[in-house]
Amino acid sequence: MAVLNKSLVPRNSKAVCLLLTAASGFMATTIGYDGSMMNGLNILPSYTDYFSLTTTTLALNTSAVWLGGCIGGLFYGYVVDAIGRKNGMFLAAAFTTFSAILQAASQNIAMFVIARIFIGFGTSASGVAGSTYLAETLPHNWRAWGLGIYYDFWYIGGLLSAGITYGTAQMESTWAWRLPSAMQGFFSILCILILPFIPESPRWLIHRDRHEEAIEAISLAYSDGDHEDPIVLAQYKEIVDTLKFEVESGETLSMVQMMKSKGARKRTLLNVSVAVISMLSGNNIISYYLGTMLDNAGITDSTTQLQINIILNAWCLVICLSGTYLLERVGRKPLAVVSTALLILFIFIIGGLTAAYGTSTNTAGIYGTVAAIFLFQGSYSIAWTPLTMTYPAEVLNFSIRANGMAVNTFFANGIGLLVTFAFPYALTAIGWKTYMINGAWDILELAFVIFFWVETKGKTLEEIDELFDGVKHSDVPDLEAIMNGKADLSNLIVEGEGFDAEPTQISVEPSKKAD
C-alpha cells in the first residue's frame, strides 16, 4: 500500500485542495469527453460509413460504455475499500488509458464495442474512487466546491471533445474518429501524474489504524500541515469517534450494510435517487443524440450540428460552475427543486416546438427549438451536474460510502444503458412524443426531491449522520462553529493512536484559522 511521501505533498492547504480536486476532476473529464465525443462521432460520416452503422449498431456502439459501467459498479467499491482511495484511482486511470488506445485501434464493430465496455468500466471505477476520495479528504468548507467542480469537469471534457471532433471532421481518413478516441486517455494520464502529490483519505487511514498518516492528511488539507491546529484535532477526533461507533455497532464495509438499518436504507434511497434523476431527466437524449434531435428539429447540416455541439458544451460549463457556487449558498435541495422544475418546463417546450416546426422550413421555429435545448441543458447543468457526485457522497456514511457510490454507479450506468439504447428507437418511432413522456417522468422526480431529500450544506460528513440517525456520534463541537470561533475547545479530548487507545486531553489555543 502506498505511504504518503511528505516530501512531495505541498505544505499549503489551498494547493493540496486544488490538486485533490484536479486529480479527481481529470477522471470526470474523461466521462464528459466520451459523451460529447460520441455525439460528434455519430455526426461524422467517416465514422458512420466506416462501421456501416444501422440504428441498432449506432445504439450499440454508443451504449456499450454503460454496460462496462454496470460491471464496475458491481464490485469496485470493494476494491476502493480494500486498497485505498488513491490506489483505486490509479488502477481506474491506468485501465481507462489502455481502453482509449484500444478504441482508437478498433478495426470492426466488435472491437469497438469491447473497447467501449472497457472504457465504461474504467470511467465508472474512476467515479467510485474519485467521489469517495474527494468527499473524505477535502475540508467540509471545500467539499461542495470540490465535488461540484469534480463533475463540472464533465463539460470541460465535453467542450474539448466537441472541438477536437469538429477539427478532425475535415480529415478524409479514419483518423477523423481515431484521434478523438485516443485523446480520451490523456486526462487519466494527468490524474496519475498528480497522485504522488496528494494525501490518502484520512477516514480510510483511520479505519486501517494508520492514525499518524491520518492526522498528517487532515493537517495538510486544513492547516498547512500544522498537526496541533485545533480544527485538525477536532476533525480527527470527530472521525475517530464516528468510525469507532460504526465498528462497535457491527457495521461492515459491505453491500448488505446498506439495507441493515432504517438510516442506512434512507441513505441508500437518496443515493440511488441521484443516479436515477441524473440519467432519466432527458439530458441523455441531448448528450448522446444531439445530431438526431437537430435532424428532427430541421437542422441537418453536419457542420452546423458540430458547431452547436461546441457552443452547447461551453454554455453548460459556465452554467454548472455557477451552480457549484450556489450549492453552499442556496443549498442542495432548493437548487435541485428549481432545476427540476425548469427541466419540466423546457422539455415540454422542446417537444411542442419539434412537433410544430420539425418538418417545416420556419427558421424562427427551428432556432426556437435550439434555444429550448440550450435552456433545458442549462437547467440541468445548474444543479444536477454538480449534485451528481456531491449529494450521494455526502449522505452515505463511511461504512457504506465506497460501496454506495458503486451502487450509484451501477444504477447510473444501467439506466444510461437503457436510455442510450432505447432513445434512437423512440426518436425514430414517435419523435417529439419522446420528450413529452420524459417530461411526465420529470414531474415525479420533482415530487421525490421535495418530499424525501434532506439538506446537507454546512456540515461535515460525520455531522450529517445526525440527520439520519438522530444523534451525532461524537461530542466534538460542529466544525463550522469552531471555524467561526463560536466553540469552546479548552476541554477537547483526543484519543491516542488506535481505536482502543486511552484518551488524552490536549490543551489547545484558539486558532487564527477558526476566526
Side-chain angles (χ1 to χ4, degrees):
M1 223 43 82
V3 177
L4 175 64
N5 188 332
K6 297 180 183 180
S7 65
L8 295 180
V9 181
R11 310 301 291 182
N12 180 288
S13 292
K14 288 183 179 179
V16 169
C17 291
L18 288 173
L19 287 173
L20 285 166
T21 303
S24 296
F26 283 135
M27 302 179 87
T29 303
T30 305
I31 306 173
Y33 184 96
D34 182 81
S36 184
M37 181 192 71
M38 290 309 299
N39 236 338
L41 297 193
N42 288 336
I43 294 171
L44 291 178
S46 61
Y47 165 76
T48 55
D49 292 346
Y50 181 83
F51 291 111
S52 301
L53 295 179
T54 64
T55 300
T56 300
T57 52
L58 172 72
L60 179 62
N61 279 11
T62 304
S63 62
V65 69
W66 301 108
L67 177 59
C70 290
I71 296 170
L74 287 175
F75 71 89
Y76 208 74
Y78 288 105
V79 175
V80 173
D81 277 337
I83 68 175
R85 289 26 175 159
K86 275 181 64 176
N87 287 332
M89 288 174 66
F90 172 80
L91 287 179
F95 190 82
T96 303
T97 303
F98 161 77
S99 303
I101 295 171
L102 184 65
Q103 178 175 299
S106 295
Q107 301 299 306
N108 49 52
I109 289 179
M111 188 174 177
F112 192 86
V113 169
I114 291 171
R116 299 283 297 151
I117 292 172
F118 284 178
I119 285 175
F121 176 86
T123 54
S124 69
S126 300
V128 173
S131 57
T132 303
Y133 178 57
L134 266 189
E136 293 181 354
T137 310
L138 283 174
H140 84 284
N141 54 319
W142 272 74
R143 195 178 65 238
W145 265 110
L147 282 167
I149 288 177
Y150 164 55
Y151 219 62
D152 292 350
F153 270 66
W154 199 102
Y155 285 114
I156 294 178
L159 181 59
L160 290 172
S161 176
I164 291 170
T165 52
Y166 179 74
T168 62
Q170 307 307 315
M171 294 182 177
E172 296 181 0
S173 69
T174 58
W175 281 105
W177 61 267
R178 293 188 193 277
L179 183 59
S181 295
M183 285 295 295
Q184 196 165 6
F186 174 71
F187 310 104
S188 295
I189 294 173
L190 292 179
C191 171
I192 292 171
L193 292 176
I194 293 175
L195 288 178
F197 301 93
I198 49 180
E200 176 59 274
S201 157
R203 289 165 173 86
W204 184 81
L205 290 169
I206 290 171
H207 176 74
R208 306 289 287 197
D209 276 337
R210 292 160 61 176
H211 290 253
E212 183 179 349
E213 292 175 71
I215 292 178
E216 173 74 3
I218 296 170
S219 68
L220 287 168
Y222 275 95
S223 62
D224 300 335
D226 180 6
H227 292 202
E228 302 302 319
D229 188 282
I231 296 174
V232 172
L233 296 173
Q235 175 69 108
Y236 170 72
K237 175 171 169 51
E238 187 177 67
I239 296 171
V240 169
D241 289 348
T242 303
L243 295 190
K244 185 176 182 179
F245 168 83
E246 291 184 17
V247 170
E248 292 176 348
S249 299
E251 297 189 20
T252 58
L253 305 183
S254 68
M255 293 282 191
V256 176
Q257 187 62 48
M258 288 185 283
M259 303 303 295
K260 275 191 174 181
S261 67
K262 181 179 179 181
R265 288 190 291 272
K266 183 169 184 178
R267 293 175 193 268
T268 301
L269 177 64
L270 295 181
N271 168 42
V272 171
S273 75
V274 178
V276 173
I277 295 172
S278 66
M279 286 290 151
L280 273 182
S281 295
N283 54 298
N284 268 326
I285 309 176
I286 300 172
S287 294
Y288 284 90
Y289 299 111
L290 177 63
T292 304
M293 287 186 70
L294 293 175
D295 284 340
N296 290 344
I299 300 174
T300 57
D301 179 68
S302 61
T303 300
T304 303
Q305 290 182 354
L306 288 169
Q307 291 170 342
I308 291 173
N309 190 28
I310 294 172
I311 299 168
L312 180 60
N313 277 280
W315 157 256
C316 290
L317 175 60
V318 172
I319 296 298
C320 69
L321 288 172
S322 302
T324 300
Y325 173 81
L326 292 173
L327 274 185
E328 199 63 29
R329 287 154 182 81
V330 175
R332 283 60 158 162
K333 183 175 178 177
L335 199 62
V337 168
V338 172
S339 171
T340 309
L342 290 173
L343 287 177
I344 295 168
L345 171 64
F346 290 122
I347 199 168
F348 281 135
I349 291 176
I350 291 172
L353 289 173
T354 301
Y357 301 107
T359 57
S360 75
T361 57
N362 186 309
T363 304
I366 291 171
Y367 281 94
T369 306
V370 174
I373 290 173
F374 272 71
L375 291 171
F376 176 86
Q377 283 295 83
S379 299
Y380 177 90
S381 301
I382 199 167
W384 290 106
T385 299
L387 280 172
T388 295
M389 290 299 174
T390 304
Y391 197 69
E394 289 181 334
V395 299
L396 298 167
N397 62 334
F398 179 82
S399 64
I400 61 174
R401 185 167 294 116
N403 281 308
M405 292 308 301
V407 167
N408 176 287
T409 299
F410 175 81
F411 273 92
N413 282 273
I415 295 169
L417 175 63
L418 170 67
V419 298
T420 53
F421 198 88
F423 275 139
Y425 291 98
L427 290 170
T428 299
I430 59 175
W432 63 271
K433 296 176 183 177
T434 306
Y435 310 124
M436 299 307 191
I437 295 170
N438 215 138
W441 168 257
D442 289 349
I443 293 173
L444 298 178
E445 294 178 347
L446 177 61
F448 183 89
V449 173
I450 291 173
F451 292 108
F452 290 97
W453 271 37
V454 297
E455 185 55 63
T456 57
K457 78 180 183 77
K459 297 180 179 293
T460 67
L461 296 178
E462 287 68 35
E463 290 160 8
I464 291 172
D465 286 350
E466 189 173 358
L467 302 175
F468 295 93
D469 303 336
V471 61
K472 183 180 174 182
H473 305 305
S474 174
D475 58 4
V476 174
D478 287 355
L479 248 65
E480 195 161 286
I482 297 173
M483 297 177 80
N484 292 328
K486 298 178 180 179
D488 180 14
L489 296 178
S490 59
N491 295 317
L492 177 65
I493 298 176
V494 181
E495 294 193 356
E497 187 168 333
F499 287 135
D500 299 325
E502 290 296 322
T504 56
Q505 183 165 333
I506 296 178
S507 176
V508 297
E509 298 295 332
S511 169
K512 292 181 181 180
K513 294 181 179 62
D515 295 331

